[in-house]
Amino acid sequence: MSGGPVDTGGVAVPAGGVGPVRTSASARASLPGTPLAASAARRFVRAALADWAALEVPAADRITERVADEAVLLVSELVTNAVVHAGTAVELSCALDVPGHEGEPPSLVVEVTDHHPTRVLRGEPPDGEEPEYTGGHGLRLVAGVAEAWGTTYRRTSKTVWFQLAVGADTDDGPAASGYDGPGRDTVRLAERALPREARPVELIAPAPRRAPARRHDPEWARHGALSFLAEASDMLAGQFDEELVTSLAVQLLVPRLADWCAVWLDAVSGPPRLVRVWHASESRLEELRRVLEKEPPHLPAAARGDAVEWPWPADPAAYGPGGAALACRLIAGGRAMGTLLMGRAGLVRMPGEVVGLIEDFARRVALALASARRYTRQADISRVLQRGLLPSGIPRIPGVESAVVYEPTGEISAGGDFYDVFPARDGRWGFVLGDVCGNGPEAAVVTGLVRPWLRLLAREGYGVGEVLDRLNQLLGEEAVEAAVEGAAEAVVAGVEAAGVGVGVAELVDAGLVGSGLPPGGGMARFLSLLYGELEPLGGGDGAGGGLRCTLASAGHPLPLVLRPDGSVRTVAEPQILLGVVDDAAYESETFDLSPGETLLCVTDGVTEHRSGSRQFDDEEGLAAVLASCAGLSARAVAERLREAVHAFAAEPPDDDLAMLVLKAL
């Protein structure tokens, strides 16, 4: 743990945007994401408060025992939530702030930051947790105890903050605590820490001191609005999931600018769909959703992206007391994405500067939704392409146990690595593992050409070496360019048949098909390939007799054979890549796989995976891992190797990763 009190004397705005403040003192700590983090956080907060008092920091003498206990309780819950739900290190900040407005009491502001911004804490225990799990009351407890609280999302982190009033004597009654509602002094701290069903009294959340006018005054509009929009842009940029975009949008608005908020998304056909509802008072969420599902807003087309005053809904159980509401269409590129509806209690109407801010915010949300939809569309196209490039499954070869690992690096583009297993001729089975030099759509098109060529040549009766000879000639011919153009048209036809409904132009826009071939034949026609044939030597089911294997490697990592005693040998000889030399002649090698022996074939995404200057296969690293797999099934061998590759470096592989494991029974 690190950090300590610092006298900043500057002007700051807390994460929740509660207005200008002067920070008298602050302390920060970094906590590991372990079960010990909560107790460390409690000790840190008490130590910070004690240091400030000893240093006679202004207003530190007004922090009563009750405020200290509340701060320790809340920070313990939030740190526990962060560790359990995010699983990352936790940054803790504690500050004593004096507002810049006359007459405002000082406050204690605590922030808990984790580094998993896509998760939303809701206070429930994690799935599969044992019943005795004691954490998870976090946000309900914060809402009930803190004067104000909120959540700040950034690209790589999420911060939950809370604010406690620091009065002359907070324990003396409602006036000192800053809360003038009924029952505050009857709710003891110990009772607040109990689960809801065990509390002897109802938990009453104190009203926030952040009056709505503070949030909408010209000073906040000048200083806080730009920060809010910058943070919103940062959070929404690069999000490729509509659900996540809407989740971030409502939580950015509530409680900063609204008490409640909802988002509808337009459907291709049918009525808009209510996808997200949020309320500052979590107990109102379900009732609010129920009412909104019955009363979706319908804005006139003339409104475009302007925010329109909306009648405050009549149901106080769902919305709370009366106030001002706004509805705004989410428009991007002239296309409607959906509708945003929000409301703030206690206002007759939204100030003009806030209306403009909401319109700017809605435009950012709409652009993020449009990007997410484009990404989803590209992913759909990619899945159609991928289905055509790879076999739907691995057929069962008599006397053989098989397993495949295939992990393309691109999330929305088909990879350059490919594999195939198929019946060849005369009871033999062909197997292929290849890697097109290059990546992206051009590599995918070559993959789409090579697989059917291989199957055709193998079934025509050509031997393993002859198959590579003829494939090499095909790749070297100028006619391959025409074949590529034809393949692009076939891709479009296949996509349309699958119901995606796009043409060449949209494939180009999506980055999945090039706009044209580069000069000079430009297609990436170099290809490393391992091709082989298996002939079962056993009885009817092939078991017990082993396999006769004939294979050849064209510029590909050489396959390995694992014996039952754990020894490993290399098979085949290295030969030149396909597509480099037109008249290359390829030689094959034949050997037997005895029962219990395993043949491992990999692409260079495995052997050349890097950790700093080292590669995974340096000093025969792949053979060493394979040797530890003696006695394992083909599936277990594949899984152990996959785990070893990912554990080799902190960063994931930056190349497609493919393995084919064949074990003789």
PDB file of all heavy atoms in Angstrom, residues 480-498:
ATOM      1  N   VAL A 480      -4.830 -17.295 -61.539  1.00  0.00           N
ATOM      2  CA  VAL A 480      -5.324 -17.265 -60.169  1.00  0.00           C
ATOM      3  C   VAL A 480      -6.018 -15.933 -59.870  1.00  0.00           C
ATOM      4  O   VAL A 480      -6.917 -15.860 -59.040  1.00  0.00           O
ATOM      5  CB  VAL A 480      -4.177 -17.518 -59.167  1.00  0.00           C
ATOM      6  CG1 VAL A 480      -3.287 -16.291 -59.026  1.00  0.00           C
ATOM      7  CG2 VAL A 480      -4.724 -17.914 -57.812  1.00  0.00           C
ATOM      8  N   GLU A 481      -5.596 -14.857 -60.587  1.00  0.00           N
ATOM      9  CA  GLU A 481      -6.248 -13.569 -60.346  1.00  0.00           C
ATOM     10  C   GLU A 481      -7.715 -13.613 -60.725  1.00  0.00           C
ATOM     11  O   GLU A 481      -8.575 -13.085 -60.026  1.00  0.00           O
ATOM     12  CB  GLU A 481      -5.513 -12.469 -61.110  1.00  0.00           C
ATOM     13  CG  GLU A 481      -4.094 -12.244 -60.610  1.00  0.00           C
ATOM     14  CD  GLU A 481      -3.428 -11.091 -61.320  1.00  0.00           C
ATOM     15  OE1 GLU A 481      -4.135 -10.341 -62.017  1.00  0.00           O
ATOM     16  OE2 GLU A 481      -2.205 -10.937 -61.171  1.00  0.00           O
ATOM     17  N   ALA A 482      -8.009 -14.254 -61.861  1.00  0.00           N
ATOM     18  CA  ALA A 482      -9.410 -14.402 -62.251  1.00  0.00           C
ATOM     19  C   ALA A 482     -10.160 -15.238 -61.235  1.00  0.00           C
ATOM     20  O   ALA A 482     -11.326 -14.986 -60.922  1.00  0.00           O
ATOM     21  CB  ALA A 482      -9.498 -15.030 -63.640  1.00  0.00           C
ATOM     22  N   ALA A 483      -9.460 -16.261 -60.706  1.00  0.00           N
ATOM     23  CA  ALA A 483     -10.098 -17.103 -59.700  1.00  0.00           C
ATOM     24  C   ALA A 483     -10.409 -16.299 -58.444  1.00  0.00           C
ATOM     25  O   ALA A 483     -11.443 -16.492 -57.800  1.00  0.00           O
ATOM     26  CB  ALA A 483      -9.200 -18.289 -59.358  1.00  0.00           C
ATOM     27  N   VAL A 484      -9.500 -15.369 -58.106  1.00  0.00           N
ATOM     28  CA  VAL A 484      -9.727 -14.536 -56.933  1.00  0.00           C
ATOM     29  C   VAL A 484     -10.954 -13.652 -57.129  1.00  0.00           C
ATOM     30  O   VAL A 484     -11.795 -13.506 -56.239  1.00  0.00           O
ATOM     31  CB  VAL A 484      -8.478 -13.679 -56.625  1.00  0.00           C
ATOM     32  CG1 VAL A 484      -8.791 -12.615 -55.590  1.00  0.00           C
ATOM     33  CG2 VAL A 484      -7.342 -14.573 -56.151  1.00  0.00           C
ATOM     34  N   GLU A 485     -11.061 -13.050 -58.332  1.00  0.00           N
ATOM     35  CA  GLU A 485     -12.232 -12.222 -58.602  1.00  0.00           C
ATOM     36  C   GLU A 485     -13.506 -13.050 -58.499  1.00  0.00           C
ATOM     37  O   GLU A 485     -14.510 -12.622 -57.946  1.00  0.00           O
ATOM     38  CB  GLU A 485     -12.117 -11.595 -60.000  1.00  0.00           C
ATOM     39  CG  GLU A 485     -10.974 -10.600 -60.148  1.00  0.00           C
ATOM     40  CD  GLU A 485     -11.241  -9.312 -59.389  1.00  0.00           C
ATOM     41  OE1 GLU A 485     -12.351  -9.153 -58.845  1.00  0.00           O
ATOM     42  OE2 GLU A 485     -10.343  -8.471 -59.336  1.00  0.00           O
ATOM     43  N   GLY A 486     -13.444 -14.270 -59.067  1.00  0.00           N
ATOM     44  CA  GLY A 486     -14.606 -15.137 -58.972  1.00  0.00           C
ATOM     45  C   GLY A 486     -14.922 -15.517 -57.545  1.00  0.00           C
ATOM     46  O   GLY A 486     -16.090 -15.623 -57.158  1.00  0.00           O
ATOM     47  N   ALA A 487     -13.871 -15.707 -56.726  1.00  0.00           N
ATOM     48  CA  ALA A 487     -14.095 -16.042 -55.323  1.00  0.00           C
ATOM     49  C   ALA A 487     -14.767 -14.899 -54.584  1.00  0.00           C
ATOM     50  O   ALA A 487     -15.629 -15.112 -53.730  1.00  0.00           O
ATOM     51  CB  ALA A 487     -12.764 -16.386 -54.656  1.00  0.00           C
ATOM     52  N   ALA A 488     -14.372 -13.657 -54.932  1.00  0.00           N
ATOM     53  CA  ALA A 488     -15.017 -12.512 -54.281  1.00  0.00           C
ATOM     54  C   ALA A 488     -16.503 -12.475 -54.589  1.00  0.00           C
ATOM     55  O   ALA A 488     -17.331 -12.197 -53.729  1.00  0.00           O
ATOM     56  CB  ALA A 488     -14.342 -11.209 -54.725  1.00  0.00           C
ATOM     57  N   GLU A 489     -16.847 -12.768 -55.863  1.00  0.00           N
ATOM     58  CA  GLU A 489     -18.263 -12.812 -56.216  1.00  0.00           C
ATOM     59  C   GLU A 489     -18.969 -13.935 -55.473  1.00  0.00           C
ATOM     60  O   GLU A 489     -20.116 -13.794 -55.038  1.00  0.00           O
ATOM     61  CB  GLU A 489     -18.408 -12.996 -57.724  1.00  0.00           C
ATOM     62  CG  GLU A 489     -17.880 -11.815 -58.539  1.00  0.00           C
ATOM     63  CD  GLU A 489     -17.977 -12.069 -60.037  1.00  0.00           C
ATOM     64  OE1 GLU A 489     -18.523 -13.128 -60.415  1.00  0.00           O
ATOM     65  OE2 GLU A 489     -17.510 -11.219 -60.807  1.00  0.00           O
ATOM     66  N   ALA A 490     -18.269 -15.074 -55.326  1.00  0.00           N
ATOM     67  CA  ALA A 490     -18.870 -16.190 -54.604  1.00  0.00           C
ATOM     68  C   ALA A 490     -19.092 -15.838 -53.141  1.00  0.00           C
ATOM     69  O   ALA A 490     -20.078 -16.256 -52.529  1.00  0.00           O
ATOM     70  CB  ALA A 490     -17.976 -17.428 -54.716  1.00  0.00           C
ATOM     71  N   VAL A 491     -18.149 -15.043 -52.573  1.00  0.00           N
ATOM     72  CA  VAL A 491     -18.318 -14.603 -51.194  1.00  0.00           C
ATOM     73  C   VAL A 491     -19.593 -13.790 -51.045  1.00  0.00           C
ATOM     74  O   VAL A 491     -20.389 -13.979 -50.134  1.00  0.00           O
ATOM     75  CB  VAL A 491     -17.089 -13.784 -50.735  1.00  0.00           C
ATOM     76  CG1 VAL A 491     -17.396 -13.009 -49.465  1.00  0.00           C
ATOM     77  CG2 VAL A 491     -15.900 -14.706 -50.522  1.00  0.00           C
ATOM     78  N   VAL A 492     -19.794 -12.847 -51.992  1.00  0.00           N
ATOM     79  CA  VAL A 492     -20.998 -12.022 -51.942  1.00  0.00           C
ATOM     80  C   VAL A 492     -22.245 -12.892 -52.039  1.00  0.00           C
ATOM     81  O   VAL A 492     -23.214 -12.732 -51.291  1.00  0.00           O
ATOM     82  CB  VAL A 492     -20.980 -10.972 -53.068  1.00  0.00           C
ATOM     83  CG1 VAL A 492     -22.284 -10.199 -53.087  1.00  0.00           C
ATOM     84  CG2 VAL A 492     -19.805 -10.033 -52.876  1.00  0.00           C
ATOM     85  N   ALA A 493     -22.221 -13.864 -52.989  1.00  0.00           N
ATOM     86  CA  ALA A 493     -23.378 -14.744 -53.154  1.00  0.00           C
ATOM     87  C   ALA A 493     -23.638 -15.536 -51.880  1.00  0.00           C
ATOM     88  O   ALA A 493     -24.784 -15.706 -51.453  1.00  0.00           O
ATOM     89  CB  ALA A 493     -23.148 -15.694 -54.330  1.00  0.00           C
ATOM     90  N   GLY A 494     -22.552 -16.014 -51.239  1.00  0.00           N
ATOM     91  CA  GLY A 494     -22.719 -16.787 -50.021  1.00  0.00           C
ATOM     92  C   GLY A 494     -23.263 -15.954 -48.886  1.00  0.00           C
ATOM     93  O   GLY A 494     -24.111 -16.404 -48.115  1.00  0.00           O
ATOM     94  N   VAL A 495     -22.789 -14.700 -48.795  1.00  0.00           N
ATOM     95  CA  VAL A 495     -23.285 -13.814 -47.754  1.00  0.00           C
ATOM     96  C   VAL A 495     -24.763 -13.513 -47.954  1.00  0.00           C
ATOM     97  O   VAL A 495     -25.564 -13.530 -47.029  1.00  0.00           O
ATOM     98  CB  VAL A 495     -22.461 -12.510 -47.720  1.00  0.00           C
ATOM     99  CG1 VAL A 495     -23.106 -11.479 -46.825  1.00  0.00           C
ATOM    100  CG2 VAL A 495     -21.041 -12.802 -47.248  1.00  0.00           C
ATOM    101  N   GLU A 496     -25.140 -13.237 -49.229  1.00  0.00           N
ATOM    102  CA  GLU A 496     -26.545 -12.948 -49.502  1.00  0.00           C
ATOM    103  C   GLU A 496     -27.412 -14.164 -49.208  1.00  0.00           C
ATOM    104  O   GLU A 496     -28.517 -14.052 -48.671  1.00  0.00           O
ATOM    105  CB  GLU A 496     -26.692 -12.507 -50.959  1.00  0.00           C
ATOM    106  CG  GLU A 496     -26.074 -11.133 -51.230  1.00  0.00           C
ATOM    107  CD  GLU A 496     -26.096 -10.772 -52.703  1.00  0.00           C
ATOM    108  OE1 GLU A 496     -26.291 -11.686 -53.524  1.00  0.00           O
ATOM    109  OE2 GLU A 496     -25.908  -9.583 -53.008  1.00  0.00           O
ATOM    110  N   ALA A 497     -26.910 -15.365 -49.552  1.00  0.00           N
ATOM    111  CA  ALA A 497     -27.684 -16.574 -49.284  1.00  0.00           C
ATOM    112  C   ALA A 497     -27.871 -16.784 -47.797  1.00  0.00           C
ATOM    113  O   ALA A 497     -28.862 -17.369 -47.357  1.00  0.00           O
ATOM    114  CB  ALA A 497     -26.978 -17.794 -49.900  1.00  0.00           C
ATOM    115  N   ALA A 498     -26.907 -16.298 -46.995  1.00  0.00           N
ATOM    116  CA  ALA A 498     -27.012 -16.465 -45.549  1.00  0.00           C
ATOM    117  C   ALA A 498     -27.916 -15.427 -44.915  1.00  0.00           C
ATOM    118  O   ALA A 498     -28.118 -15.428 -43.709  1.00  0.00           O
ATOM    119  CB  ALA A 498     -25.623 -16.377 -44.915  1.00  0.00           C
TER     120      ALA A 498
END
